[in-house]
Amino acid sequence: MTQAPPTPEAARRRHDREIVALAVPAFGALVAEPLFVMADSAIVGHLGTAQLAGLGVASALLTTAVSVFVFLAYATTAAVARRVGAGDLQAAIRQGMDGIWLALLLGAAVIAAVLPAAPALVELFGASHTAAPYATTYLRISSLGIPAMLIVLASTGVLRGLQDTKTPLYVAVGGFVANAALNAGLVYGAGLGIAGSAWGTVIAQFGMAAVYLFVVVRGARKHGASLRPDAAGIRSCAQAGAPLLVRTLSLRAILMIATAVAARLGDADMAAHQIILSLWSLLAFALDAIAIAGQAIIGRYLGANDAQGAREACRRMIQWGIASGFVLGLVVLAARPIFLPLFTSDSAVQSTALPALVLVAVSQPISGVVFVLDGVLMGAGDGPYLAWAMLLTLAVFTPVALLVPTLGGGLTALWGAMTLMMAVRMLTLWLRSRSGRWIVTGATR
């Protein structure tokens, strides 16, 4: 007897269970990541202002260097999920190993570039003469952990593709605890100062990488996947990641332009911009968790040749994105009397930040759609379109943002340009999702 197809309500419930099961642990892991920097800041801050300023410069450089390679997680998630959907776990893990080998090669290249260039990079970022020696020390030592950080990115992509977001959560929490304990012990117990903080972070990162490698290698042995580097596979991973690298660099350029414009508006505007940007980034973590679920789920459906399932999952995730955006926006509006005083007691900064804060709150449903569709298209392996769409967004945003100091409007106008940027992203992603051209089924795209 042929089984009746599931009702629309049953299909929605199934998609909801999948989204929640993947998104909630992913959100926990995403939130744990910035806690590394917070723990370092809290410990180093008691050493002195110069040390804390040096840590700030070095952390900004390291975060930029690592975030550029986030495609190691995104591209690996999509490729592994496709093979999981196709029922070939051996090929899925083999694909993941190629991503890990690529991460190791890129990490070695970054170390080779950063170690000799550390003093020049610190100077380029404008560190004061008192903070520069501390920044250079921290940057040189912490750069040794970059291969581990990139291995963590690639391994996280492997596990997400295998529909496992719980293990990355456990590793992230364990890494945060180890990092905090090591930093405290090495900075104060061993008396190593800011160098101790850097070494503690490096050790914690290699510990996280070791746990990930243990899990992936165990899966490879279980399913008979080779652990040896494969030149063709590594090349394929690099080619799949290249468009996502363009996308990421374009997004980083947008954020840097916004900060540069805010700095030209004056100290109060710059301070307010930093507060709003920190909130915007925090909200992005919540919405990015749904995007991560989208990468894994869409890749699996397409790998299983289930185009209809991919469409339904995409539709449901858009609904989740809009609803999550509305809820987050309402929370921000309700919390605005409490939120701004947490960061500053300066009434000028508060009054400057308030209209921009309202703009961020109102635009959260747009952000919800953007993050979800970004994840859907990544899961489909539609990197080239994402790259072109982000380049177009950068081209629209740049002249509008640069005109803000000339035309007036201050920080509110700048965040109006940021809202326009998100609206352009939503339009380009929505048009692509409506076209159906992202739907390419099979174990590989």
Side-chain angles (χ1 to χ4, degrees), residues 189-237:
L192 296 179
I194 195 168
S197 176
W199 281 117
T201 301
V202 168
I203 294 168
Q205 287 161 350
F206 271 102
M208 293 170 66
V211 173
Y212 273 119
L213 289 175
F214 172 79
V215 173
V216 174
V217 168
R218 184 180 60 184
R221 288 175 175 165
K222 178 181 177 181
H223 297 287
S226 173
L227 299 175
R228 294 179 180 177
D230 175 65
I234 294 172
R235 213 165 31 244
S236 175
C237 286

Side-chain angles (χ1 to χ4, degrees), residues 335-423:
R336 69 186 187 280
I338 304 170
F339 177 77
L340 291 175
L342 284 176
F343 287 86
T344 179
S345 57
D346 189 325
S347 58
V349 175
Q350 289 185 18
S351 61
T352 300
L354 184 59
L357 183 71
V358 172
L359 260 180
V360 168
V362 171
S363 66
Q364 282 309 293
I366 295 174
S367 298
V369 175
V370 168
F371 277 89
V372 164
L373 290 180
D374 213 32
V376 166
L377 297 184
M378 283 182 190
D382 203 12
Y385 181 83
L386 289 171
W388 284 111
M390 190 58 79
L391 285 170
L392 173 63
T393 303
L394 175 61
V396 172
F397 170 79
T398 301
V400 174
L402 293 178
L403 281 172
V404 166
T406 303
L407 299 180
L411 190 70
T412 305
L414 176 60
W415 276 91
M418 289 287 285
T419 303
L420 171 65
M421 178 270 292
M422 292 301 287

